[in-house]
Amino acid sequence: MTTARSGGHAALVEYLYGRGLLDESWRAVWHAVPRAPFIPCRAWRQGPTACEPLTTEAERLALIHSDEPVVIQVDDGEADGPGIATSSNSQPSMVARMLRLLLVEPGRRVLEIGSASGYVAALLCRRLGDSAVYSVEIDPGLAHHAAAVLRATGHHPNLACGDGEAGWSDEAPFDRVLATCALRTVPHPLVRQLVPGGILVAPLARDFWSGAIVQLTADGSGSATGRFQGSASYMPMRSHRPAPPPPVAETTCRPTIVTIDPRQLLSLGFALYAGARLPGVRMVHVTRPDGAQVWLQDEHGAAATVSTGEAAYEYGARCLWQEAERVHAEYIALGSPGVHDFGLTVTAHAQQVWLHQPGAVVRPAPAREPAS
């Protein structure tokens, strides 16, 4: 199933405009830059458990004209892999949100991290002019594809094949930086390469939360700060892919008391707060018709599993579920702040989440060990 509407690309653009995701300038840009030419013939839909190949042109066009991502690479382009998505043409509504947050205007120079299909670079070229757009792609195959399709569609941005984590120092400074891959932390070179007052927009994905957009403004002295702007789902920058979790100490399994439904941990506001209070703790969840299952784990093998209406268990040298409940109680006492109440400050030495104002940094909580 797709969310495609009759009318193809034009209908998709009007859908985004009707949702308030495009202003008049961006509406004209999107109408002028169809999505289809940027999607390789070989593409996939992200299914519940694996990528599903698009086997017919009708199926391909239906997905392209929907508000859904189109996977354009699996397994970093290697043959005979497990079929894990490693690059995509992002969900159009997500792209529109990111571009709106970038606050571009004529005369601004933009650095994009992650060319992928080349589509976002084309949109920026149409809005700002070719010479103002710089785009870096780490994967040689994707870089070649993006360069070819951009030329074929009449767009000529500045392109490079390399690791976007380092930015593009030879062409800096930039007025705007846009990351189209998820970052665990904001690479400081990207902040240094912004002009004073320059804006960086990026999706972040950390241990406790899977994705949130941050909009930062550089102060000209190597720091940048700004607020989180909602959820985001992007594939991670290659050097920011999380390492596999360590083995869980299963012999230490013990029941634990549960006083809240695990669904209460699933808001992004709480995840931002808990991610700062419980650094290094991962949260994975599965929603079900009758509730949710949550799995917590730290980097030393301590873990907890809790499901709605079922027995709960902890493992290892920490009471992870009890810590999560304690942090949740703090969050409720703070008034259950929303996503936009949280922000991030990036310096050369630290990256700190704050609540309401930059001085109110959310500090790590002490770990709680099980009673002997």
PDB file of all heavy atoms in Angstrom, residues 29 32 93 102 111 151 223 238 242 249 332 355:
ATOM      1  N   VAL A  29       9.181  25.642  -6.591  1.00  0.00           N
ATOM      2  CA  VAL A  29      10.390  24.838  -6.767  1.00  0.00           C
ATOM      3  C   VAL A  29      10.036  23.364  -6.904  1.00  0.00           C
ATOM      4  O   VAL A  29      10.505  22.666  -7.812  1.00  0.00           O
ATOM      5  CB  VAL A  29      11.356  25.061  -5.593  1.00  0.00           C
ATOM      6  CG1 VAL A  29      12.445  23.994  -5.565  1.00  0.00           C
ATOM      7  CG2 VAL A  29      11.973  26.453  -5.664  1.00  0.00           C
ATOM      8  N   ALA A  32       8.600  22.326 -10.121  1.00  0.00           N
ATOM      9  CA  ALA A  32       9.561  22.362 -11.224  1.00  0.00           C
ATOM     10  C   ALA A  32      10.571  21.224 -11.178  1.00  0.00           C
ATOM     11  O   ALA A  32      11.304  21.014 -12.158  1.00  0.00           O
ATOM     12  CB  ALA A  32      10.304  23.698 -11.209  1.00  0.00           C
ATOM     13  N   SER A  93       7.441  14.737   2.815  1.00  0.00           N
ATOM     14  CA  SER A  93       7.042  15.658   3.880  1.00  0.00           C
ATOM     15  C   SER A  93       8.191  15.936   4.832  1.00  0.00           C
ATOM     16  O   SER A  93       8.320  17.050   5.359  1.00  0.00           O
ATOM     17  CB  SER A  93       5.838  15.100   4.645  1.00  0.00           C
ATOM     18  OG  SER A  93       6.119  13.824   5.190  1.00  0.00           O
ATOM     19  N   LEU A 102      15.561  25.288   7.218  1.00  0.00           N
ATOM     20  CA  LEU A 102      16.848  25.813   6.777  1.00  0.00           C
ATOM     21  C   LEU A 102      16.805  27.328   6.545  1.00  0.00           C
ATOM     22  O   LEU A 102      17.850  27.985   6.553  1.00  0.00           O
ATOM     23  CB  LEU A 102      17.265  25.093   5.497  1.00  0.00           C
ATOM     24  CG  LEU A 102      18.738  24.972   5.184  1.00  0.00           C
ATOM     25  CD1 LEU A 102      19.501  24.268   6.287  1.00  0.00           C
ATOM     26  CD2 LEU A 102      18.939  24.236   3.856  1.00  0.00           C
ATOM     27  N   LEU A 111      25.594  23.924   2.257  1.00  0.00           N
ATOM     28  CA  LEU A 111      26.315  22.653   2.203  1.00  0.00           C
ATOM     29  C   LEU A 111      25.370  21.536   2.608  1.00  0.00           C
ATOM     30  O   LEU A 111      24.809  21.562   3.710  1.00  0.00           O
ATOM     31  CB  LEU A 111      27.519  22.673   3.140  1.00  0.00           C
ATOM     32  CG  LEU A 111      28.251  21.336   3.328  1.00  0.00           C
ATOM     33  CD1 LEU A 111      28.857  20.863   2.011  1.00  0.00           C
ATOM     34  CD2 LEU A 111      29.322  21.459   4.405  1.00  0.00           C
ATOM     35  N   ARG A 151      23.112  16.327 -13.721  1.00  0.00           N
ATOM     36  CA  ARG A 151      23.463  16.878 -15.045  1.00  0.00           C
ATOM     37  C   ARG A 151      22.327  16.663 -16.045  1.00  0.00           C
ATOM     38  O   ARG A 151      21.976  17.561 -16.810  1.00  0.00           O
ATOM     39  CB  ARG A 151      24.736  16.208 -15.573  1.00  0.00           C
ATOM     40  CG  ARG A 151      26.018  16.657 -14.901  1.00  0.00           C
ATOM     41  CD  ARG A 151      27.230  16.228 -15.735  1.00  0.00           C
ATOM     42  NE  ARG A 151      27.251  14.784 -15.959  1.00  0.00           N
ATOM     43  CZ  ARG A 151      27.856  13.911 -15.167  1.00  0.00           C
ATOM     44  NH1 ARG A 151      28.481  14.343 -14.068  1.00  0.00           N
ATOM     45  NH2 ARG A 151      27.839  12.624 -15.446  1.00  0.00           N
ATOM     46  N   SER A 223      30.651  27.691  18.509  1.00  0.00           N
ATOM     47  CA  SER A 223      29.523  27.070  19.198  1.00  0.00           C
ATOM     48  C   SER A 223      28.241  27.294  18.397  1.00  0.00           C
ATOM     49  O   SER A 223      28.148  28.228  17.597  1.00  0.00           O
ATOM     50  CB  SER A 223      29.349  27.659  20.604  1.00  0.00           C
ATOM     51  OG  SER A 223      30.493  27.429  21.397  1.00  0.00           O
ATOM     52  N   ARG A 238      27.514   7.011   7.954  1.00  0.00           N
ATOM     53  CA  ARG A 238      28.217   5.723   8.056  1.00  0.00           C
ATOM     54  C   ARG A 238      29.105   5.646   9.295  1.00  0.00           C
ATOM     55  O   ARG A 238      29.140   4.621   9.980  1.00  0.00           O
ATOM     56  CB  ARG A 238      29.031   5.468   6.793  1.00  0.00           C
ATOM     57  CG  ARG A 238      28.125   5.179   5.602  1.00  0.00           C
ATOM     58  CD  ARG A 238      28.855   4.543   4.451  1.00  0.00           C
ATOM     59  NE  ARG A 238      27.913   4.257   3.361  1.00  0.00           N
ATOM     60  CZ  ARG A 238      28.260   3.693   2.223  1.00  0.00           C
ATOM     61  NH1 ARG A 238      29.519   3.337   2.011  1.00  0.00           N
ATOM     62  NH2 ARG A 238      27.347   3.461   1.288  1.00  0.00           N
ATOM     63  N   PRO A 242      25.476   2.858  15.037  1.00  0.00           N
ATOM     64  CA  PRO A 242      25.716   2.330  16.381  1.00  0.00           C
ATOM     65  C   PRO A 242      26.355   0.953  16.344  1.00  0.00           C
ATOM     66  O   PRO A 242      26.079   0.142  15.450  1.00  0.00           O
ATOM     67  CB  PRO A 242      24.310   2.277  16.993  1.00  0.00           C
ATOM     68  CG  PRO A 242      23.393   2.171  15.820  1.00  0.00           C
ATOM     69  CD  PRO A 242      24.039   2.958  14.718  1.00  0.00           C
ATOM     70  N   ALA A 249      23.628 -10.057  30.484  1.00  0.00           N
ATOM     71  CA  ALA A 249      23.943 -11.012  31.552  1.00  0.00           C
ATOM     72  C   ALA A 249      22.665 -11.761  31.943  1.00  0.00           C
ATOM     73  O   ALA A 249      22.015 -11.450  32.949  1.00  0.00           O
ATOM     74  CB  ALA A 249      24.545 -10.285  32.747  1.00  0.00           C
ATOM     75  N   ILE A 332       7.512  14.022  34.577  1.00  0.00           N
ATOM     76  CA  ILE A 332       6.133  14.416  34.885  1.00  0.00           C
ATOM     77  C   ILE A 332       6.130  15.614  35.825  1.00  0.00           C
ATOM     78  O   ILE A 332       5.344  16.569  35.669  1.00  0.00           O
ATOM     79  CB  ILE A 332       5.355  13.242  35.493  1.00  0.00           C
ATOM     80  CG1 ILE A 332       5.217  12.088  34.498  1.00  0.00           C
ATOM     81  CG2 ILE A 332       3.978  13.698  35.973  1.00  0.00           C
ATOM     82  CD1 ILE A 332       4.486  12.422  33.240  1.00  0.00           C
ATOM     83  N   LEU A 355      16.819  22.224  28.765  1.00  0.00           N
ATOM     84  CA  LEU A 355      15.364  22.353  28.864  1.00  0.00           C
ATOM     85  C   LEU A 355      14.984  23.811  29.061  1.00  0.00           C
ATOM     86  O   LEU A 355      15.446  24.447  30.016  1.00  0.00           O
ATOM     87  CB  LEU A 355      14.843  21.500  30.021  1.00  0.00           C
ATOM     88  CG  LEU A 355      13.343  21.564  30.317  1.00  0.00           C
ATOM     89  CD1 LEU A 355      12.533  21.114  29.105  1.00  0.00           C
ATOM     90  CD2 LEU A 355      12.998  20.715  31.538  1.00  0.00           C
TER      91      LEU A 355
END
